[in-house]
Amino acid sequence: MRLLILEDDPQLGDALATGLRQLGHAVDWFTGGTEADAAIDSAPYDAAVLDLGLPGTDGMVWLRRWRERSSALPVLILTARDGVQQRIAGLDAGADDYLIKPISTEELAARLRAMLRRATGRAQAEWTHGALRYDTVTKQVHWQDRPVDLTARELALLEVLLKHPQRVLSKAQLQEQLYDWSGREPESNALEVHVHRLRRKIHPDIVRTVRGVGYALGAEVPA
């Protein structure tokens, strides 16, 4: 997943961003609402983690603005405001989940996975594509019932393709899903290398090249 975090506490924000990156996610962390608001319009985020007690403009204001713009981005509120009426207000304003600080990175990641499943219409944690099985919780991949050892970036690429099984994604779209704005620029041929390795480790037809357009998930190979 590519995630946006809006949290002004430097220690907590860094801990959340680092922990989620270690779990294989691309994460952009912002301490101010204006920067986060601009980023939402320019990057294809899968979900956002929103603090409410922000300096200047309150987090609830940003949430309402996003929903007024008809943004369907799944938003998880992570705040110290633990009153029942505050939770109700947050959910009624358009939040998809509401959690009270402190929280472990593992639980936060689980909540975000659940939000993604709801957003994509997939109730199950395991995604299948013919003989391919991918467990979104354990991050384990099986091909024809045999485990497949993938790097974090290969796994992220496979997840993006499985998330959009009917779409052809351009190189730019895939890179936007795989890389955050942390300053680490991918090598020019990095995407092609990851595609090649997926084909070698799983099946030559697992990724389909659409010449002049990009890549798509290949046809289902029977188990």
Side-chain angles (χ1 to χ4, degrees), residues 6-86:
L6 177 50
E7 169 59 64
D8 68 304
D9 184 292
Q11 186 174 359
L12 177 58
D14 181 65
L16 292 175
T18 300
L20 290 169
R21 286 181 184 132
Q22 288 174 345
L23 292 175
H25 303 295
V27 182
D28 293 315
W29 164 41
F30 301 94
T31 58
T34 301
E35 295 80 8
D37 185 55
I40 285 176
D41 287 335
S42 58
Y45 293 105
D46 293 298
V49 178
L50 172 66
D51 180 30
L52 297 183
L54 299 169
T57 305
D58 189 82
M60 286 287 287
V61 175
W62 291 114
L63 176 60
R64 292 192 181 100
R65 288 181 184 177
W66 298 338
R67 294 308 185 227
E68 288 170 359
R69 296 205 304 257
S70 299
S71 171
L73 176 70
V75 175
L76 183 152
I77 290 176
L78 180 60
T79 179
R81 300 177 188 175
D82 59 356
V84 173
Q85 292 304 315
Q86 292 170 316

Side-chain angles (χ1 to χ4, degrees), residues 52-220:
L52 297 183
L54 299 169
T57 305
D58 189 82
M60 286 287 287
V61 175
W62 291 114
L63 176 60
R64 292 192 181 100
R65 288 181 184 177
W66 298 338
R67 294 308 185 227
E68 288 170 359
R69 296 205 304 257
S70 299
S71 171
L73 176 70
V75 175
L76 183 152
I77 290 176
L78 180 60
T79 179
R81 300 177 188 175
D82 59 356
V84 173
Q85 292 304 315
Q86 292 170 316
R87 299 187 195 194
I88 293 172
L91 294 169
D92 283 345
D96 298 87
D97 204 348
Y98 193 109
L99 295 179
I100 306 302
K101 300 176 183 177
I103 187 174
S104 70
T105 303
E106 290 75 12
E107 182 180 354
L108 177 60
R111 297 276 190 155
L112 291 168
R113 288 194 299 269
M115 286 169 49
L116 178 63
R117 290 198 299 271
R118 291 195 296 270
T120 57
R122 300 188 183 198
Q124 303 300 321
E126 184 176 271
W127 297 354
T128 61
H129 185 74
L132 180 71
R133 291 187 290 113
Y134 170 53
D135 191 316
T136 60
V137 177
T138 64
K139 301 296 183 180
Q140 293 180 337
V141 176
H142 285 80
W143 173 253
Q144 296 179 336
D145 293 327
R146 295 190 300 270
V148 181
D149 184 22
L150 299 178
T151 66
R153 199 68 72 187
E154 292 161 5
L155 192 64
L157 173 58
L158 180 63
E159 183 174 285
V160 173
L161 293 171
L162 286 168
K163 189 168 59 178
H164 304 287
Q166 307 300 324
R167 288 183 58 189
V168 178
L169 300 169
S170 69
K171 180 177 179 179
Q173 288 173 321
L174 288 169
Q175 288 177 328
E176 285 179 339
Q177 289 279 343
L178 297 176
Y179 299 96
D180 53 41
W181 291 335
S182 59
R184 296 168 293 176
E185 289 293 331
E187 296 182 7
S188 59
N189 67 333
L191 183 61
E192 288 79 3
V193 171
H194 298 322
V195 169
H196 170 74
R197 289 176 177 169
L198 282 181
R199 288 168 172 162
R200 177 169 55 84
K201 293 181 178 182
I202 300 175
H203 190 278
D205 296 330
I206 194 63
V207 181
R208 178 167 55 97
T209 299
V210 181
R211 194 171 300 278
V213 182
Y215 298 101
L217 195 64
E220 292 187 11

